[in-house]
Amino acid sequence: MNSEFDVISRYFTRPSPNAVLGSGDDAALIACRPGMDWAVSVDALVAGRHFFPDVAPETLGHKALAVNLSDMAAMGATPRWVTLSLTLTEALAQDDAWLKAFSHGFFTLADQYQVELIGGDTTSGPLNISVQIIGEIEKGRALRRSGARPGDDIWVSGFPGEAALALLFLQHRITLTEPEVARCLTALHTPAPRIALGKVLINVAHSAIDISDGLLADLGHILECSGVAAVVELNHIPRSPALTGKLQQENITRQLAIDCLLAGGDDYELCFTAPENKRDAIALLAQQTGVKLSRIGKIVPGKELAVLNDDGNPLIFNRKGYDHFLAR
Ligand code: ADP
Ligand code: MG
C-alpha cells in the first residue's frame, strides 16, 4: 500500500538546485532576483471536465504542466518553479503504473524547460490536478492583455482549432484521416507551450494572451482589457491541413470546422498584437522560433469584434455561445 508520503517521495520528489529550499519542508524557499518580477499563475484540471478520466496518465502529466507553461509564454516570462496539488482517487493512489507514467509525463516536460517542482499537496478524492507556476521576467517588461492599440496587427501562432477538432473526433461527431487524427490528438493531449516565442515577443508585441478558451473569446479579453475593437478576416486565420477539406464543404461539417477555428478551446497558441512597423521583425521571429505566425486582422477603435467572411461580409456569431456560433 502506498501512503501519502510514499507517493510524494517515490514519484514527486526531485532535486531543485534553483530553489533555496525545495520539497520536504512546510514551504519551499525561492530567491527573488534583483531587477526581476515574478509571474505567478495556477490552473486546475478536473477529471470529466478538462480531460477524459481514462486519458493516458503520461499525457495528463504533460498537459497539467503545459497549460501553466502556456500562461508564462503569454506573459513573456521564463518559467522557473512549480508546485503540484494532486487529489487522487484511492485506486489511483495505489496504481504505481499510473503514478509512474503521470510523473514521467510531468517531469519530461519540466526538464525540457528546466522547471523545478518545489512542493505541493497530495490528498485523496476525485481526480484533480492543480499546478501553480512561478516565472521570472525583467521588471516592467511582461506582456499584458491591456496593451493593444488601434492600428495594431493581430497575430496568431500555429493552427488554431486542432485541439477542438480532436475533441469532436473523440465524440464521434466528425471523421478524420489517420494522419489528421495524429496531428489533432497531439494538439489536444500534448500541446507545446510557446515559451520561446513569448520571450522574444516582449520586444515587439503590445499585448498577448494564450488561447485556452477559443481564438475569439481570448482575443475578446485583449479587447476588453485594452478598451479597443477588432476586425478579423476569416480567410487569414491559418487553416490546419485537418480543417481545410472540411471548410470547403457546404454542410454542418463546415460549420463545425468554423467553430473549431474561431471558438475551439485548448489550443495554447498565442494571440498577440503588434504595430505594423514590426511585421518584418515578427516574420524573422517566426523563422527563428520555427513557429508559424499569421496576421489575422487589425485592432481598431471601438468595442466590437467583427469577423469578415471569405466574401468580405461580416459573419454573425455569438462569441460566448460555442454551440450556435454561426448563424447564416
Ligand atoms: P504540510 O502538512 O506541511 O502541508 P505535507 O505533508 O502536505 O506538508 O507535504 C510534505 C512535503 O511534501 C511538503 O514539502 C510538500 O510541499 C511536499 N509535497 C506534497 N505533495 C507534493 C506533490 N504532489 N509534489 C511535490 N511535493 C509535494
Ligand atoms: Mg499539505
Side-chain angles (χ1 to χ4, degrees):
M1 284 281 279
N2 285 331
S3 72
E4 175 190 332
F5 298 101
D6 294 333
V7 171
I8 298 168
S9 67
R10 279 184 199 150
Y11 300 107
F12 299 105
T13 303
R14 297 262 299 255
S16 45
N18 294 327
V20 177
L21 181 66
S23 199
D25 213 308
D26 289 308
L29 299 172
I30 50 180
C32 193
R33 292 198 292 162
M36 305 297 267
D37 282 334
W38 278 342
V40 181
S41 168
V42 64
D43 261 308
L45 295 188
V46 178
R49 182 163 292 257
H50 297 99
F51 59 90
F52 296 109
D54 61 349
V55 69
E58 187 156 357
T59 64
L60 193 56
H62 173 106
K63 186 151 179 181
L65 180 57
V67 301
N68 284 275
L69 290 172
S70 179
D71 284 324
M72 295 294 106
M75 302 299 289
T78 303
R80 302 271 292 165
W81 304 281
V82 285
T83 59
L84 169 64
S85 175
L86 205 51
T87 308
L88 297 171
T89 59
E90 278 168 28
L92 287 182
Q94 302 310 323
D95 188 341
D96 287 289
W98 192 97
L99 290 165
K100 193 172 171 202
F102 176 87
S103 81
H104 185 257
F106 186 93
F107 283 120
T108 301
L109 186 63
D111 290 346
Q112 203 178 324
Y113 292 97
Q114 285 114 47
V115 170
E116 294 179 353
L117 179 65
I118 55 168
D121 199 26
T122 306
T123 54
S124 109
L127 179 59
N128 180 317
I129 304 150
S130 272
V131 175
Q132 181 183 46
I133 191 159
I134 301 165
E136 284 184 316
I137 181 144
E138 273 177 56
K139 264 196 191 308
R141 301 217 62 202
L143 290 168
R144 302 181 186 204
R145 298 178 177 184
S146 56
R149 297 172 213 168
D152 277 4
D153 293 319
I154 303 168
W155 295 80
V156 73
S157 68
F159 294 99
E162 288 186 337
L165 208 57
L167 198 59
L168 289 176
F169 172 78
L170 294 174
Q171 295 166 336
H172 307 289
R173 293 172 68 190
I174 53 151
T175 57
L176 291 173
T177 65
E178 238 170 69
E180 289 170 349
V181 171
R183 202 186 156 100
C184 293
L185 283 183
T186 301
L188 178 67
H189 285 149
T190 47
R194 300 301 189 191
I195 297 292
L197 177 63
K199 281 164 71 168
V200 288
L201 283 181
I202 56 179
N203 299 315
V204 293
H206 280 160
S207 68
I209 191 166
D210 70 319
I211 304 178
S212 53
D213 295 337
L215 174 59
L216 294 191
D218 287 315
L219 173 59
H221 294 313
I222 287 186
L223 304 184
E224 277 155 37
C225 294
S226 302
V228 292
V231 180
V232 169
E233 298 200 44
L234 184 61
N235 64 1
H236 288 189
I237 302 174
R239 295 177 178 189
S240 157
L243 273 170
T244 327
K246 297 190 161 34
L247 287 163
Q248 281 156 2
Q249 297 179 23
E250 272 304 325
N251 51 24
I252 179 73
T253 305
R254 174 182 156 84
Q255 196 150 321
L256 288 173
I258 292 180
D259 276 8
C260 286
L261 202 58
L262 296 177
D266 252 7
D267 279 317
Y268 304 101
E269 294 294 347
L270 297 184
C271 176
F272 60 95
T273 77
E276 279 184 11
N277 64 14
K278 298 291 185 200
R279 284 181 188 175
D280 291 345
I282 290 171
L284 206 60
L285 295 182
Q287 271 180 17
Q288 285 166 358
T289 56
V291 178
K292 183 178 176 65
L293 298 179
S294 309
R295 196 149 44 80
I296 62 166
K298 296 290 294 180
I299 297 292
V300 295
K303 286 195 163 163
E304 298 302 310
L305 170 52
V307 180
L308 302 185
N309 216 331
D310 295 0
D311 55 17
N313 290 317
L315 265 182
I316 301 162
F317 62 89
N318 172 359
R319 203 193 299 169
K320 292 197 176 100
Y322 295 7
D323 279 351
H324 307 283
F325 193 68
L326 176 66
R328 286 155 66 84

